[in-house]
Amino acid sequence: MSDGGVSWRGVPITSMYGSEGPWGAPEFPLISPAYNHTVLYHIPTNSSGTGDHVPTPQRGEDKWDHEYVRMPCSPHSLYPYKVNGEDKLKKRWEMIEEALQDNIENSHDLAAAILSYNSKLKHVMTFRGLHEFFNNYLDPEETDYFFTITLPEMVKLALALPHIIQSPIPLLKQHKNRAISLSQQQIASLLANSFFCTFPRRNSSKTDCEYSSYPRINFSTLYETTGSDSTFEKLKCLCHYFRRVCTKVPTGVMTFIRRSVPPRQCPDWAESTKLIAQTPLHVNSSGTIEDDGVGLMQVDFANKYLGGGVLNYGCVQEEIRFVICPELMASMLFTETLRPNEALLMIGCERYSKYSGYGNSFKWAGNFVDDAPFDSSGRRRCTVLAIDALPFNNKAHEYRREHIVREMNKAWVGMSICTSEEDKSPLHYPGVATGNWGCGAFGGSADLKSLLQVMAASEARRPVAYYTFNDLRLRDDLIYIYDLLSQHNVTVGQLYKMIMMFSLTDVRKSKLYPFIKQKLLDKAQAVAPTTPVAMD
Ligand code: AR6
């Protein structure tokens, strides 16, 4: 709490849900297999949706091509080796089984196991970060617990992959609207494989390699990262996740939905007649999206390569979210880089860790017990919306028309996911929980980005809860300008035009909100020159 005991302005948070509390808002569409929705587990006919049982896998045939994830356990995954100078091919999964079933008692054994089926990395990887983490950073008892209790279970989980996932995982490719649903157990097995770096063709960063337009998924880069405590704290979060899922298999499921809207189908912003006032806005200077946006669509300030720097030095909003809710990392396995008019919605992740600090001061702060209920499809009612802003290093650049339109389209594509044209209700619930999207590592300006997001949400007809991350000034300025826009019945189209007018000024020297205020005053005076307008 701050500023007189009330940290928020605008409408109360309850206005984000509709008539009831967070769980009264409508659920996202039920999981149902379709040509564009692959479900990797068997949906029981009498599912209560409470997530009581671990779902059984859906059966299908292994695929080894450009449309599907190349699985480490695929019989097609072969690895070259030499016998008496002769080149031969061996099934890679057998090599993995052999290496992981050997005793792994410390970080050196682990590194040797990983290299045994990734021999090309022998001259590239030192595992400095991994050794430093287990031998110097973590408490010796924790390290001991990890290697004697957790790791053997992780090996079982990783090696059970061919039983846990029995049908191919499609890639969520660019320009396609496609969804994947899988169980938390399936995700755990995939992530255990990431930990052991078993995914084929995923270790190279060369631009011409098959997966160059996909994020990293093997943890190898994390094992090289040294000199940064926050990286080690991220590893703590991940080890904690594995400890949790190895102790008790989670029973829920998750859905990943990629949305791609051709630019011509995005709104014509200048013509939008949606009223800003129709979008309920809650602005809070305290709290975070993940702690306080309970039940809302929580924005991930993403990189177009999902997860951003989670597997190396990155430790800001997206990376932190991905390590406290590691199931989000499954997206990195199958989601091609997001295009300007694309977004990814991830429904059903569980949070496993508490944390403190941010960036360099980030710390794992213990176990988190997630009490979000399950929806009718067995997903936790936690929804994360990944949208990647553009990086800027100068304000003039940020105010270029095409960049503003790109950011509005991006936010709108995400926020209007799972809404239908036919639904004429004035607002869609749940609302969106967001904040200074694109304004940290990506250098954008919060006064502009907050308005662009409110405009996109207005067009998508979703209420907005905006967390300013301790910025009291932004909270008060944003609600002030929002109230002004509302009093003047300003539409999204009119506001867009005002922002475009502002972009013609010297944006480095002038300020957006006073400019908008002046325009509104001028307009009011032009309409009723004798009536003074009360403002401030
Ligand atoms: N809740 C609310 N607001 C937050 C939170 C939170 N949990 N965390 C941070 N903020 P940033 P970007 C505020 O830099 O600029 C990653 O590497 C805080 O004011 O994470 O879009 C991605 O992978 C912070 O300064 O997002 C991308 O590569 C601001 O949000 C890149 O960073 C922006 O957070 C995206 O950078």
Side-chain angles (χ1 to χ4, degrees):
M1 287 290 185
S2 53
D3 200 9
V6 181
S7 63
W8 59 272
R9 301 284 182 269
V11 298
I13 189 74
T14 46
S15 305
M16 301 294 121
Y17 312 121
S19 52
E20 294 164 54
W23 317 126
E27 296 181 355
F28 286 95
L30 283 182
I31 298 176
S32 167
Y35 75 98
N36 60 356
H37 188 161
T38 301
V39 182
L40 292 169
Y41 61 89
H42 180 70
I43 302 179
T45 38
N46 58 351
S47 169
S48 62
T50 51
D52 298 338
H53 303 287
V54 178
T56 52
Q58 187 61 258
R59 290 176 184 217
E61 260 180 39
D62 177 53
K63 301 259 194 214
W64 186 256
D65 60 36
H66 284 85
E67 296 298 318
Y68 292 87
V69 172
R70 292 185 195 270
M71 295 290 271
C73 51
S74 165
H76 297 283
S77 182
L78 302 173
Y79 211 64
Y81 72 109
K82 273 196 193 306
V83 195
N84 302 330
E86 207 184 315
D87 288 331
K88 298 220 165 191
L89 289 173
K90 199 171 176 177
K91 286 209 172 111
R92 197 153 176 213
W93 189 242
E94 286 173 8
M95 297 169 78
I96 293 167
E97 286 180 314
E98 213 172 287
L100 297 184
Q101 276 163 357
D102 243 9
N103 259 359
I104 300 178
E105 292 177 357
N106 53 46
S107 66
H108 293 276
D109 294 345
L110 177 56
I114 293 172
L115 286 181
S116 71
Y117 46 80
N118 284 302
S119 52
K120 282 185 201 143
L121 297 180
K122 269 191 182 134
H123 306 293
V124 186
M125 285 194 68
T126 62
F127 292 92
R128 278 176 308 174
L130 186 78
H131 299 318
E132 175 83 15
F133 175 68
F134 281 117
N135 305 330
N136 298 329
Y137 194 80
L138 208 57
D139 285 344
E141 304 84 71
E142 288 288 334
T143 297
D144 194 44
Y145 187 94
F146 181 80
F147 282 103
T148 51
I149 312 284
T150 309
L151 189 120
E153 293 303 315
M154 286 172 67
V155 167
K156 286 187 208 156
L157 185 61
L159 295 184
L161 185 65
H163 307 287
I164 293 177
I165 298 188
Q166 298 189 13
S167 50
I169 309 177
L171 294 166
L172 296 182
K173 290 192 158 195
Q174 294 181 347
H175 309 290
K176 296 250 161 61
N177 286 286
R178 189 159 195 164
I180 301 177
S181 289
L182 64 180
S183 70
Q184 285 180 290
Q185 185 202 33
Q186 291 177 321
I187 293 175
S189 182
L190 291 168
L191 294 182
N193 274 278
S194 302
F195 180 90
F196 293 115
C197 309
T198 68
F199 285 100
R201 308 197 185 180
R202 301 296 287 258
N203 289 326
S204 172
S205 55
K206 291 200 185 111
T207 47
D208 57 350
C209 75
E210 181 179 348
Y211 285 97
S212 60
S213 59
Y214 288 80
R216 293 247 176 199
I217 185 64
N218 289 329
F219 286 8
S220 41
T221 40
L222 201 52
Y223 303 155
E224 288 300 293
T225 315
T226 51
S228 136
D229 285 2
S230 57
T231 306
F232 294 149
E233 296 293 327
K234 291 194 297 183
L235 261 170
K236 274 193 190 175
C237 292
L238 295 171
C239 290
H240 176 70
Y241 161 75
F242 287 118
R243 182 173 172 167
R244 281 273 308 270
V245 296
C246 288
T247 310
K248 189 172 183 301
V249 184
T251 53
V253 299
M254 273 191 82
T255 302
F256 295 82
I257 305 174
R258 185 186 190 114
R259 181 159 195 243
S260 179
V261 182
R264 63 179 184 284
Q265 286 171 21
C266 288
D268 179 351
W269 293 105
E271 298 307 317
S272 171
T273 53
K274 299 277 183 340
L275 284 172
I276 297 291
Q278 271 177 359
T279 301
L281 178 64
H282 169 90
V283 189
N284 207 327
S285 58
S286 81
T288 60
I289 292 169
E290 64 279 11
D291 285 341
D292 298 77
V294 177
L296 304 183
M297 236 178 172
Q298 303 176 349
V299 176
D300 160 18
F301 302 156
N303 191 288
K304 66 178 177 177
Y305 283 87
L306 284 171
V310 67
L311 293 180
N312 50 53
Y313 288 100
C315 199
V316 286
Q317 197 248 10
E318 174 164 56
E319 290 89 355
I320 293 174
R321 193 67 205 262
F322 274 48
V323 293
I324 62 172
C325 305
E327 287 148 352
L328 298 173
M329 291 174 73
S331 64
M332 297 160 66
L333 177 64
F334 44 69
T335 312
E336 194 172 14
T337 47
L338 297 178
R339 308 255 328 145
N341 52 335
E342 296 183 335
L344 186 80
L345 189 71
M346 300 177 267
I347 308 170
C349 64
E350 180 166 345
R351 177 165 169 191
Y352 293 85
S353 291
K354 293 184 193 149
Y355 75 93
S356 66
Y358 187 75
N360 290 336
S361 66
F362 173 76
K363 288 226 171 338
W364 178 72
N367 186 44
F368 184 91
V369 180
D370 195 330
D371 57 8
F374 292 92
D375 71 7
S376 311
S377 285
R379 295 172 294 208
R380 281 208 186 256
R381 295 199 63 181
C382 178
T383 308
V384 175
L385 172 65
I387 46 174
D388 55 304
L390 283 173
F392 293 109
N393 53 19
N394 112 34
K395 225 172 152 190
H397 208 219
E398 189 181 3
Y399 273 92
R400 279 166 57 174
R401 177 188 294 266
E402 66 270 28
H403 293 157
I404 286 179
V405 169
R406 187 274 185 202
E407 301 295 65
M408 290 173 80
N409 285 346
K410 170 69 70 172
W412 172 82
V413 168
M415 293 175 186
S416 56
I417 272 185
C418 299
T419 57
S420 85
E421 287 285 315
E422 290 83 62
D423 181 354
K424 298 289 176 220
S425 47
L427 285 171
H428 295 301
Y429 296 103
V432 178
T434 190
N436 301 333
W437 174 54
C439 302
F442 276 1
S445 315
D447 54 356
L448 174 64
K449 273 295 199 306
S450 53
L451 281 191
L452 298 184
Q453 291 185 84
V454 169
M455 292 158 81
S458 301
E459 191 60 38
R461 291 184 274 154
R462 284 197 198 270
V464 177
Y466 193 102
Y467 295 92
T468 67
F469 215 59
N470 301 322
D471 189 338
L472 307 187
R473 177 89 189 261
L474 175 64
R475 174 196 66 187
D476 295 342
D477 287 354
L478 176 58
I479 212 70
Y480 176 77
I481 202 75
Y482 169 86
D483 285 344
L484 216 52
L485 292 163
S486 302
Q487 286 156 25
H488 287 257
N489 288 325
V490 173
T491 63
V492 169
Q494 288 164 339
L495 180 54
Y496 170 81
K497 286 178 195 152
M498 280 187 245
I499 295 173
M500 284 306 147
M501 272 186 245
F502 178 74
S503 72
L504 300 175
T505 66
D506 184 351
V507 293
R508 283 162 306 178
K509 294 201 184 120
S510 21
K511 285 205 154 86
L512 179 63
Y513 291 177
F515 178 89
I516 292 174
K517 179 179 167 184
Q518 192 55 50
K519 285 282 155 226
L520 293 174
L521 274 172
D522 294 349
K523 203 172 132 215
Q525 273 165 3
V527 173
T530 51
T531 323
V533 186
M535 277 186 220
D536 276 319

